[in-house]
Amino acid sequence: MTKCPDNRCGDRPLCWTGPHSAAEPQPHGRQDPRRLPIGCAIGEKCSFPRGRLLAVAAVLISAAFCFIGSSAQALIVGPYSLDASTLHLWHLNETAVPALDSAPDGTNLTALGGSATLGNASYAGFSTALSTATTLGDYLAPRTLAADTSDNTLMTYDDPATGAFTYEAMIRVDFNPATFNRGNVPLYLICAENEAGDRPFQFRIHTNGVFGSGAFILQFFNLTGDGNTPFVAAIPTTGPDAIAQGKWFHVAVTFDGVAAGGHLVFYWTLMDPSRIQANLIASAAMANLIPLATTSGVDFSLGNVGRNTPNGGFAGVIDEVRLSRIAHAPAGMMFNSTNVIT
């Protein structure tokens, strides 16, 4: 490259590489403002430094890649809005019963059992929530639970043709996993049960009777189709989604229907705005499902089981309970991302 001895920007000698040729000096006084080096003004004797050009180009390219690489921003989706697949949606924002079902022709929850309460602080942005943490008999249900048919409620729990569903909620763990001991009594989350006959499902947490192990499992019982054999998933004890006292988690179980493969999938995810999808912890094939809708009605309840005497109140807080007629994808529930650039 040809040196231009008397062309300078300030006190720095620079070289001009065009426009006449790759090595021909730009005639003095004929500077093209589109070709001025950074830091030079029209009228100055300036040249375009190759090193500076390369440095500027590198910065611009790097910035472009950073912008493209930051195209997705994580977000928490809830509180949920109704969509075409929603069967039931309880925001649990009330301070007293009834807790309203936001779905059209939904089922309001009118009975608080034991020492259960509404109006408890929820996760940031979700108003208030249900607590079933005080006694083993705590629950929220459409009717006062009893050991007979007086508490039966007709509800739809899945797609009546395919059997597909998603059951999900936000929960706060109010017990110490390292020391919690309830023997063989589960912590019930969402249940549709009965004293006899139709017993559609239980969705719950269990210690499997292992005291002090800190090991917990999610269980789903398809009692009508598969009987008294639960599908299970180990709840994380290490990593970002590890079960911990005082933390909020999104918990879900989904089923895509027998015709779609019969996939039953468990999710357990820390409520964290940096997450872009739910954390899958286990999956299984559930081929023997009988659609969960019943004609006789069942004992539906949140935070406990409605069969006989409620005895398994969830030791914590429950919020934003949604039942859907499809198997939601990991990014189709509480966590998602918004695209800045595509």
Side-chain angles (χ1 to χ4, degrees):
M1 182 182 296
T2 301
K3 180 76 175 291
C4 307
D6 58 346
N7 279 7
R8 292 176 172 272
C9 274
D11 60 355
R12 300 185 304 276
L14 302 171
C15 288
W16 182 264
T17 58
H20 300 295
S21 70
E24 183 178 354
Q26 169 74 2
H28 297 176
R30 293 175 55 192
Q31 295 157 319
D32 184 344
R34 296 169 299 174
R35 304 293 299 274
L36 287 172
I38 294 176
C40 295
I42 297 176
E44 284 191 282
K45 295 182 177 180
C46 297
S47 303
F48 213 118
R50 173 183 291 178
R52 196 168 189 185
L53 173 62
L54 294 177
V56 170
V59 170
L60 293 175
I61 293 170
S62 175
F65 276 110
C66 287
F67 184 73
I68 294 171
S70 302
S71 60
Q73 294 179 344
L75 58 89
I76 288 178
V77 175
Y80 288 134
S81 300
L82 290 175
D83 59 36
S85 301
T86 304
L87 296 170
H88 304 281
L89 174 59
W90 295 281
H91 294 299
L92 302 177
N93 291 339
E94 298 81 7
T95 57
V97 291
L100 302 180
D101 187 345
S102 298
D105 301 318
T107 301
N108 295 335
L109 306 178
T110 62
L112 276 172
S115 299
T117 57
L118 292 165
N120 303 278
S122 185
Y123 184 80
F126 285 81
S127 190
T128 59
L130 164 72
S131 174
T132 54
T134 304
T135 73
L136 291 178
D138 292 359
Y139 67 84
L140 178 62
R143 291 177 169 84
T144 300
L145 297 177
D148 54 36
T149 60
S150 64
D151 55 356
N152 286 6
T153 302
L154 281 170
M155 295 174 64
T156 302
Y157 306 102
D158 64 353
D159 186 290
T162 67
F165 62 77
T166 295
Y167 305 149
E168 56 182 313
M170 289 165 42
I171 63 172
R172 189 184 72 202
V173 174
D174 282 357
F175 55 88
N176 183 349
T179 59
F180 184 78
N181 181 23
R182 194 182 274 183
N184 201 39
V185 179
L187 298 94
Y188 295 97
L189 300 174
I190 308 171
C191 292
E193 259 284 16
N194 226 329
E195 280 67 43
D198 290 329
R199 298 181 59 196
F201 72 89
Q202 295 180 7
F203 185 34
R204 67 193 202 180
I205 297 172
H206 208 312
T207 63
N208 258 7
V210 182
F211 167 64
S213 67
F216 290 80
I217 55 177
L218 275 182
Q219 293 183 324
F220 180 79
F221 278 83
N222 168 22
L223 295 156
T224 302
D226 284 319
N228 199 30
T229 302
F231 295 89
V232 301
I235 295 174
T237 56
T238 60
D241 299 298
I243 186 171
Q245 186 172 16
K247 297 292 187 181
W248 280 94
F249 297 90
H250 173 261
V251 58
V253 60
T254 71
F255 179 67
D256 60 5
V258 174
H263 303 104
L264 185 78
V265 182
F266 291 92
Y267 298 91
W268 176 275
T269 317
L270 179 71
M271 288 293 294
D272 181 344
S274 70
R275 310 301 288 273
I276 62 172
Q277 64 180 28
N279 175 50
L280 188 156
I281 59 172
S283 61
M286 187 171 70
N288 299 322
L289 179 77
I290 296 173
L292 301 178
T294 65
T295 57
S296 61
V298 294
D299 308 341
F300 181 81
S301 57
L302 301 181
N304 217 318
V305 62
R307 188 169 187 253
N308 300 319
T309 302
N311 68 343
F314 172 67
V317 179
I318 301 173
D319 200 5
E320 202 68 9
V321 179
R322 183 173 72 168
L323 279 60
S324 303
R325 66 174 72 246
I326 63 169
H328 281 293
M333 292 182 281
M334 188 58 68
F335 310 96
N336 207 320
S337 63
T338 177
N339 291 325
V340 177
I341 187 170
T342 59

